[in-house]
């Protein structure tokens, strides 16, 4: 049988079909429904400073493996059988990764690290091969990326073999290496470094991929509120918490999709160096958006389980922090894609900071209502400011 040419594995750039998100990519994302669920439950179950640090590290890892795959499928065509096989293999490894999250800092540390490294390095090697003889610049890019991921992978595996604080330290080093890579252009001695012009991405595809991931995360928040409400005896208070959680999630959806996603897709599609904007707005800018939704899901659990609690700063941090992180992420995302920071989001963050001063004196469910009201006010403010100016390139 003749060897398949790597060129046949790439998308047809510039065509409508070349920019679309395929059904296999959506199928791949379903694995991360499980990941997000595992992360929110792990944080709620181990809600301590150390538990929060561990959950944050795993959130960074899950996002990184997903966003790297999103970048790769911006070039590779998932409708081609070799690429399809690669994505299915990543799905299997992703399930192992997700299943190990609750015990990643326990007995399943090596499983978590091994699945993660196999996904990162394996996908990068596959893409390097696919680019060979087709796109020399991107072939070199993925050789550099592979080198960085291999170095980071050594720390991931070492951490899996270590225990307790030593594991956390090793994995923090591994993440630091991986997160520094794009900012450093994946510089490798003898191979140079990547430049923004090398990363010729489809802005429409990248924007849609990230939007679908945000939908997945918001869906987990909806599932948490619905599942918890169904398990508790019906009462006026649980009904109030349920409605509050639902409206808060809808407000998050509105803030991201009403004026954020569409404008970002248009801007990046017409950017002279789309790779640089994609790295800023999507690779990095979506991290606090993801974290905010996960923390919001945890806050919903606390609102149901401890509605009358007062004075617990940890719970207050979850209730206010979920909304705050989400606003920070949208501030970053919209600022990067418009050139201006939305004043409504800055005001919302100020309101949440002010609420933090009175949080020790009010019950958790009331705090949740106030945090939700902040999101509603921000959404209404932005809508009022931008309605009728949606074609404008900047935010006000």
């Amino acid at each position: 049988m003749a060897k398949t040419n790597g060129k046949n594995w790439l998308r047809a750039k510039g065509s409508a079909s070349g920019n679309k998100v395929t059904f296999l990519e959506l199928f791949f994302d379903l694995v991360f429904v499980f990941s997000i669920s595992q992360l929110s439950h792990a944080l709620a179950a181990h809600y301590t400073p150390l538990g929060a640090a561990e959950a944050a590290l795993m959130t960074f890892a899950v996002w990184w493996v997903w966003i790297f795959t999103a970048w790769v499928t911006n070039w590779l065509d998932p409708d081609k059988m070799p690429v399809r096989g690669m994505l299915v293999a990543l799905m299997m490894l992703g399930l192992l990764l997700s299943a190990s999250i609750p015990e990643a800092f326990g007995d399943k540390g090596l499983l978590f690290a091994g699945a993660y490294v196999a996904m990162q390095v394996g996908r990068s090697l596959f893409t390097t091969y696919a680019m060979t003889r087709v796109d020399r610049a991107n072939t070199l890019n993925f050789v550099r990326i592979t080198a960085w991921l291999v170095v980071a992978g050594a720390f991931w595996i070492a951490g899996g073999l270590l225990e307790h604080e030593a594991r956390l330290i090793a994995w923090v080093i591994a993440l630091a290496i991986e997160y520094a890579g794009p900012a450093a252009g994946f510089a490798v001695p003898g191979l140079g470094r990547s430049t923004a012009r090398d990363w010729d991405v489809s802005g429409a595809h990248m924007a849609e991929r990230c939007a679908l991931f945000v939908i997945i995360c918001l869906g987990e928040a909806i599932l948490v509120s619905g599942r918890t409400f169904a398990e508790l005896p019906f009462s006026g208070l649980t009904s109030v918490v349920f409605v509050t959680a639902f409206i808060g999630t809808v407000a998050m959806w509105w803030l991201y999709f009403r004026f954020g996603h569409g404008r970002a897709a248009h801007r990046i599609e017409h950017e002279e160096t789309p790779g640089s904007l994609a790295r800023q707005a999507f690779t990095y800018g979506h991290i606090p958006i993801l974290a905010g939704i996960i923390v919001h899901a945890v806050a919903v659990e606390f609102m149901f389980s401890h509605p009358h609690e007062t004075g617990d700063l940890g719970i207050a941090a979850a209730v206010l922090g979920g909304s705050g992180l989400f606003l920070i992420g949208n501030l970053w995302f919209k600022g990067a894609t418009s050139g201006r920071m939305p004043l409504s989001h800055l005001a919302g963050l100020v309101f949440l900071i002010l609420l933090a001063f009175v949080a020790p004196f009010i019950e958790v469910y009331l705090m949740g209502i106030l945090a939700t009201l902040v999101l509603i006010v921000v959404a209404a403010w932005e809508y009022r400011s931008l309605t009728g100016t949606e074609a404008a390139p900047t935010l006000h």
Side-chain angles (χ1 to χ4, degrees):
M1 182 178 289
K3 179 180 176 181
T4 303
N5 192 309
K7 184 176 182 179
N8 294 330
W9 300 359
L10 303 185
R11 288 177 180 267
K13 289 289 186 181
S15 66
S17 60
N19 293 335
K20 73 175 183 178
V21 174
T22 65
F23 290 127
L24 181 58
E25 289 173 277
L26 298 178
F27 190 35
F28 172 81
D29 287 352
L30 292 180
V31 172
F32 289 87
V33 175
F34 185 32
S35 296
I36 300 305
S37 176
Q38 292 282 74
L39 286 168
S40 63
H41 293 325
L43 178 56
H46 304 283
Y47 196 68
T48 64
L50 179 59
E54 293 172 352
L57 184 146
M58 290 185 288
T59 299
F60 280 118
V62 166
W63 169 253
W64 214 233
V65 77
W66 183 88
I67 193 64
F68 266 44
T69 306
W71 275 85
V72 161
T73 53
N74 201 274
W75 289 292
L76 302 184
D77 187 353
D79 286 334
K80 303 298 171 61
M81 282 304 297
V83 181
R84 186 172 295 179
M86 182 267 293
L87 285 175
V88 171
L90 288 180
M91 287 177 67
M92 183 63 189
L93 290 168
L95 278 176
L96 293 175
L97 180 80
S98 302
S100 64
I101 284 175
E103 292 295 326
F105 285 88
D107 295 336
K108 295 182 179 177
L110 191 57
L111 177 61
F112 180 89
Y116 181 85
V117 173
M119 291 181 78
Q120 291 289 73
V121 176
R123 182 198 55 244
S124 187
L125 285 172
F126 179 93
T127 309
T128 302
Y129 178 76
M131 293 290 183
T132 303
R133 300 190 307 276
V134 178
D135 187 336
R136 175 170 173 75
N138 265 331
T139 300
L140 286 176
N141 281 339
F142 280 97
V143 170
R144 298 182 190 107
I145 290 171
T146 303
W148 277 70
L149 293 177
V150 167
V151 173
F155 286 94
W156 280 111
I157 299 300
L161 296 171
L162 298 171
E163 295 182 357
H164 308 305
E165 289 79 6
R167 177 176 297 175
L168 180 61
I169 292 171
W171 285 358
V172 167
I173 294 171
L175 269 184
I177 292 170
E178 293 196 26
Y179 271 75
F186 297 103
V188 174
L191 295 178
R193 57 179 292 162
S194 303
T195 66
R197 292 187 178 277
D198 293 334
W199 300 100
D200 182 21
V201 297
S202 164
H205 178 267
M206 185 64 72
E208 187 175 359
R209 292 294 287 119
C210 288
L212 291 170
F213 195 80
V214 171
I215 285 288
I216 286 174
C217 297
L218 291 172
E220 169 57 18
I222 292 287
L223 289 174
V224 166
S225 59
R227 181 178 60 247
T228 309
F229 181 67
E231 293 172 352
L232 293 173
F234 180 79
S235 70
L237 182 58
T238 56
S239 299
V240 168
V241 172
F242 174 73
V243 171
T244 300
F246 176 75
I247 293 175
T249 306
V250 171
M252 288 180 167
W253 171 86
W254 182 274
L255 283 167
Y256 181 86
F257 286 96
R258 184 64 178 89
F259 290 108
H261 164 258
R263 286 179 170 226
H266 180 270
R267 168 72 185 275
I268 194 173
E269 197 66 18
H270 296 83
E271 184 73 8
E272 186 175 335
T273 55
S276 179
L277 182 59
R279 183 183 68 189
Q280 175 75 1
F282 295 106
T283 301
Y284 291 121
H286 273 61
I287 296 170
I289 293 176
L290 167 63
I293 299 172
I294 292 174
V295 175
H296 170 69
V298 173
V300 169
E301 291 197 41
F302 289 155
M303 287 165 61
F304 275 113
S305 59
H306 306 284
H308 296 296
E309 186 82 33
T310 58
D312 191 319
L313 297 181
I315 292 179
V319 174
L320 300 178
S323 299
L325 285 169
F326 188 79
L327 286 179
I328 290 171
N330 275 272
L331 194 67
W332 187 347
F333 173 50
K334 294 175 182 178
T337 54
S338 71
R340 293 182 61 181
M341 298 293 185
L343 180 59
S344 56
H345 292 48
L346 290 170
L349 288 171
V350 172
F351 291 149
L352 289 172
I353 291 171
L354 293 176
L355 280 177
F357 288 100
V358 299
F361 310 105
I362 57 178
E363 296 180 342
V364 168
Y365 84 95
L366 290 174
M367 195 189 323
I369 291 174
L370 292 174
T372 298
L373 284 174
V374 169
L375 292 178
I376 293 171
V377 168
V378 172
W381 184 339
E382 184 177 41
Y383 178 77
R384 184 179 178 85
S385 299
L386 295 177
T387 299
T389 64
E390 294 184 58
T394 59
L395 295 174
H396 299 286

